[in-house]
Amino acid sequence: MSDLTLPLERRDFSAQERLLAQTADFRVVTFAYPSGVEALRLENARGQVTLLPYLGQMVWDAEFDGRRLTMGHVFPYPRKGASILDTYGAFAYHAGMLRNGTPGPTDTHPLHGEMPVAEMDRAWLRFGEDAGGPWVELGGQCDYVMGFGPHYRAQPRVRLGAKEAAFLIEMQVRNLSAHPMELMYMLHANFAFVADAEIHQPAAWTPETTKVRRAVPGHVTPSPEFLSLLDDLAVNPARMRRLSEPALYSPEQVFYVTGLGTGTGGRTRQVMALPEGDGFSLSHRPADFPHCVRWIFNDGDAQVAAFALPSTCEPEGYTAEKAKGHIRILAPGEELRFPVQLGHLSPEEMPQVLAEVAALDQD
């Protein structure tokens, strides 16, 4: 069948849930949180994703096969604000575009830049079908323009298949300026922290390929014990392969994973196997994202195992990343796409996927 596109309007969202569309495979429900933030829920036979069409088009929540994928946090619902810190509870958000990471001493940008809480200009719903079967997709667009400064168009989308518990999140960005544009982008996917989960990666667990971040960010007050732990993780990163020491991740631990093996289409995949036999999965192309960050944090306010954060740079802020040569430049009119497939794996799906990850490690 041909694709069907339905424009969304803010009047489609109210405090009371509304069934906006329904097919044999999907339900689409709209509502608004007490904060006034509009939300749209895509449902299939295996679960649902809750999206914020006009607030950075975040994926606020995700649940499949009875498993909630989203990080633990203290926010009862999403809120509008000046930065992601005003509403840090999303399952996934778009970090960047002009600036990214934790701002350093000389940086002036907000944590993870302007895109996480950007107000979208338009949003739409699409239904279609491809070789994998029927799908439903939320798309959106916002134009960032600054007088005598950057001008770009961001077009994110989230696509959910009829029988899948994994879904596509993609950002498309185009430089609309007559001048080159600096780009720093990360798909910040915040999976739940699960004690005793095991991370599978198609890269060696060595100090050369799984590097602990030694720089201490400004929001962390290092104790002698914390600094000693960094020393140990620097030579023994495999200590965090299994999350069997929950207290290890307060304060946070950050790793940079390099040398990821790839397979068909140049894709790599990382998996977090859970004690109950199911798992979390994230797949991307290193050609799109030359860096991969791992962020684990577990305390009374937040519980997150962001085991794979594909990125065009490391998250140390603009000044530090520019000094490393990690700032990507888009020529006038240039457009890039950043697709990521992520979600849940059932116990029945896990053996095949783990075998695929192991095979990537051998390439």
Side-chain angles (χ1 to χ4, degrees):
M1 73 176 188
S2 59
D3 295 356
L4 172 65
T5 301
L6 303 174
L8 294 176
E9 304 290 345
R10 290 186 184 268
R11 63 173 177 266
D12 293 325
F13 303 84
S14 65
Q16 185 174 358
E17 288 197 358
R18 173 190 175 191
L19 179 61
L20 183 67
Q22 184 168 3
T23 71
D25 302 290
F26 305 105
R27 278 170 43 93
V28 180
V29 176
T30 63
F31 63 98
Y33 287 100
S35 60
V37 173
E38 299 91 344
L40 181 145
R41 191 167 65 241
L42 305 180
E43 303 175 0
N44 69 5
R46 294 183 62 177
Q48 60 191 37
V49 289
T50 301
L51 314 173
L52 309 183
Y54 298 105
L55 185 59
Q57 201 157 117
M58 295 185 204
V59 181
W60 182 251
D61 204 3
E63 182 176 335
F64 288 95
D65 303 327
R67 170 76 74 173
R68 188 167 184 237
L69 281 59
T70 310
M71 67 175 286
H73 57 87
V74 296
F75 291 90
Y77 42 75
R79 306 182 307 182
K80 297 178 182 179
S83 83
I84 189 62
L85 288 174
D86 291 300
T87 185
Y88 211 113
F91 169 67
Y93 64 86
H94 300 285
M97 296 285 191
L98 302 172
R99 302 290 185 264
N100 197 3
T102 303
T106 61
D107 292 326
T108 58
H109 61 84
L111 176 72
H112 291 309
E114 76 284 354
M115 191 65 216
V117 293
E119 183 173 355
M120 306 302 292
D121 299 320
R122 299 193 298 124
W124 55 85
L125 190 67
R126 294 179 63 206
F127 292 89
E129 189 169 347
D130 57 22
W135 50 260
V136 61
E137 176 179 290
L138 173 68
Q141 176 181 307
C142 74
D143 287 0
Y144 178 98
V145 59
M146 185 66 65
F148 309 103
H151 183 195
Y152 68 79
R153 173 166 296 166
Q155 291 184 303
R157 63 182 179 130
V158 174
R159 177 177 290 190
L160 176 65
K163 299 180 181 179
E164 302 298 321
F167 52 96
L168 171 74
I169 302 179
E170 181 181 276
M171 172 58 76
Q172 176 182 330
V173 57
R174 182 180 181 87
N175 180 10
L176 299 179
S177 170
H179 305 281
M181 167 187 154
E182 294 180 317
L183 177 71
M184 303 172 73
Y185 174 70
M186 169 189 283
L187 192 279
H188 211 299
N190 300 316
F191 284 89
F193 182 95
V194 180
D196 291 320
E198 183 177 3
I199 298 171
H200 295 256
Q201 63 183 39
W205 289 88
T206 64
E208 293 73 32
T209 56
T210 308
K211 304 175 184 178
V212 69
R213 180 182 67 185
R214 301 300 297 270
V216 179
H219 62 275
V220 173
T221 301
S223 65
E225 293 78 12
F226 178 76
L227 296 175
S228 177
L229 175 61
L230 291 185
D231 290 339
D232 181 60
L233 292 174
V235 297
N236 183 28
R239 181 176 177 181
M240 56 78 64
R241 179 172 186 166
R242 184 180 294 275
L243 305 182
S244 58
E245 301 176 85
L248 192 71
Y249 306 103
S250 180
E252 67 186 20
Q253 294 296 339
V254 174
F255 296 82
Y256 303 135
V257 185
T258 61
L260 290 163
T262 58
T264 303
R267 300 191 69 81
T268 190
R269 189 200 287 257
Q270 295 178 71
V271 171
M272 196 164 88
L274 308 181
E276 292 82 0
D278 57 334
F280 299 147
S281 169
L282 187 144
S283 173
H284 71 282
R285 294 196 331 139
D288 301 325
F289 298 94
H291 301 272
C292 186
V293 182
R294 179 168 295 146
W295 173 54
I296 314 291
F297 185 45
N298 181 47
D299 75 358
D301 292 330
Q303 306 83 42
V304 55
F307 61 93
L309 299 175
S311 180
T312 66
C313 58
E314 292 176 350
E316 307 305 330
Y318 173 74
T319 302
E321 296 307 303
K322 188 174 181 68
K324 299 175 190 175
H326 289 173
I327 307 297
R328 188 156 184 175
I329 303 297
L330 266 67
E334 185 177 2
E335 181 177 275
L336 294 175
R337 291 176 180 264
F338 298 99
V340 177
Q341 193 81 14
L342 72 171
H344 184 251
L345 298 170
S346 69
E348 294 75 22
E349 293 168 324
M350 282 288 287
Q352 179 179 342
V353 172
L354 290 180
E356 291 173 358
V357 173
L360 295 176
D361 201 14
Q362 298 170 12
D363 290 346

